[in-house]
Amino acid sequence: MDVMSTMEERKFQDAGELLAACREKMRENQHGESGGNYALYPTVIVFLGEKARSHVQYVKQTLDENWNNADYLQYLGITVTEKSIKCQTLTTKGKEITWKTCKSTAPQAICIAVVEMLTQEDKIFPDKTRIKMEFLLDAAEEAGKTYYDLFAEMSSGLQTNDLKTLYLMADQTPEDKNHITSDKLFQYILKRRQEMPERSGTLYLISNYLESGKILGEKELWQNYRLTADIILLGGNRTRGKSQTADYAAKLYNGIKTASYALVTKPIDEIGTVSLRYLLSVLYEQERSRLQGGITEEEIRRRLGIGQTNTMEMVERLYRDTLQKQLPRAEDMGYLPFMNAEKQKELLKTLTKGEEFPQALLDQYTLGVRPLFVQKGFLQPVEDYWEKEENREILRQAVSDLYCQRFSSFELMELSSKQKSIERLLMEPYHYGGCGGKTDYREVLYAAAEYAGKALLYEKVKPVLLEEFSKVLLQAKAFDEQYQQILRQLQMESIPVEAQSVEKKYAALVEKYVMEHQKINEVGTAFPEVFCMRQNREEFLGSVWKILCDLIQEDVYRYDFEREIEWRMSDMTEVKKEAFVKLELQKSLTGSTRLKNVLTYGKMVAGCFYLINESAAYAKHLAGLEANGRDFMIFDLNRTDGVEQIEIYNITKPECIHLAGSGEQRDED
């Protein structure tokens, strides 16, 4: 198979890491359009504490994908320790994000970041009269109160209209009493907002405990950070010469707010799971199906190069390349003494029959000299060669290579059921094959002497053949167990019932790919780079990765959100497809408010927004509705992998919010 030569080498420890890389690669393949969005105002994004900072990639990626001037935004990280407050600036190199510690204080760092943006050309940030400062804080931070006080004191230090927003990422899970810590911080913030309203800015309360009762786990928490980035986008965007902020400001800023969030995307996670799972399954089944009826003894002899006299091509090659050049020449046999010419002719006649020659008679006719000559000239070189450990190891490796090259892992597992008969075959003694029609007595005697040397070599090699055969059988079994274990890991990745169309379409696509790209070698293996049983887990997953990367270069994997739906649900009408998207959004939006509270807290809709690429058919459908601009607004995303719906709510009774479930825990220290 012609895998891309430029494919990056990756290392994986388990199927989960491989699957994550697959999904990441597929997301990279979703090329966003180069739209006209860019940040209207200089914007600094500040992560307060390690917990929030660990999710910076989800915020940055969203802004990078949708603002053409995102490279000029400033990112800061502030960490409170027992002894100091550390401030860091974000730097990037390719995809890698690093944080560089700066010597300035947090307020100074804010000022430096703002000045850096204000010194840019006017075309970078069209409106420099306002500075947007976006703060993210995980409410479970132990130093939460200190972080909030820092937020309250922050300003650009310039004569500008600062627009400050704090996104409080509430953790309402009881683990480590995070819900109590979050609630105490929220109550502290409410008190401080009353004491100094002029420094309070806008507060978004974004919880991991949804109104529906669902809790976002660690693998889903990124949604809240993408939601936060979307709100940042909505609040400071300019597109095609028009600022959208004037329309959005009243809905997005001032007071305390929360939001509901619906995200319907191309089902990349499910596509990745199905594709990887079926790739491994189809490769395995196709490989196994080629082994039909077992392997005959005749076929085994052919594969191993075993001749009629039980010679082996590998041993013969070793003899020729390594030992033969050390042996006497055929003409040297003429120096052996014979009793008389008549005995010589009689012996020659016996040897040319190709039968096992009479050693004792041969020694007698040469007056006892022959065995000494054969010992020194033909047997001793074999002994000398075998005495060296490095030579024996080279041979062991060659034997192991032979088995692995001539038999697939499935064939070896099949041969394990007839191990005894294979061992008998391997141990069959090497026979004298005659002198090959030679008539010169010296050549005939040389053939007999050479046989003695080879017989000794075969005698030493054959136990190695058995040992290495047993080893490769164990290797084949271990490889199969490893393969099955990885498949089981992938089977544990559940596919939602509503994603059945994903499984149906992509399973067929993977099978078609495998059939079109298989190139069966001499042992019946179509993908030898995968079915190399000597690979450890890391190497095996790396081999699968290369094939997987080639698979997802297929056009279908690059389809945008709508085209993918069109391909996957080709039996649906356009009206039904639009209804499908609307239904999925509604299902996702229902109960998705990022706050769970026992009491009514005065939730009032401030605005509804659809974030979608304007070229999408569903965007055009929304744009044509009478409610457009009245009940909802459309934000043109550069990215084409889905559609998002956000509803912003004003919280009119924040004092009724109890993040820990009730107010009793607030009395605890």
Side-chain angles (χ1 to χ4, degrees), residues 598-644:
V598 176
L599 304 177
T600 302
Y601 53 89
K603 184 177 79 170
M604 298 185 66
V605 176
C608 177
F609 304 89
Y610 286 93
L611 293 85
I612 185 172
N613 187 273
E614 66 175 7
S615 64
Y618 191 68
K620 294 173 182 177
H621 164 73
L622 290 171
L625 296 178
E626 186 178 339
N628 181 23
R630 183 191 68 201
D631 299 337
F632 63 82
M633 295 179 180
I634 302 173
F635 183 92
D636 177 25
L637 282 179
N638 286 0
R639 60 195 302 165
T640 61
D641 64 343
V643 54
E644 299 167 82

Side-chain angles (χ1 to χ4, degrees), residues 284-285 288 410 478-491 540:
Y284 188 90
E285 292 304 321
R288 187 173 64 174
F410 287 98
F479 174 79
D480 189 69
E481 290 174 351
Q482 173 182 273
Y483 202 114
Q484 293 298 331
Q485 183 185 45
I486 290 170
L487 267 176
R488 286 193 296 271
Q489 280 184 291
L490 292 171
Q491 295 293 345
F540 170 72

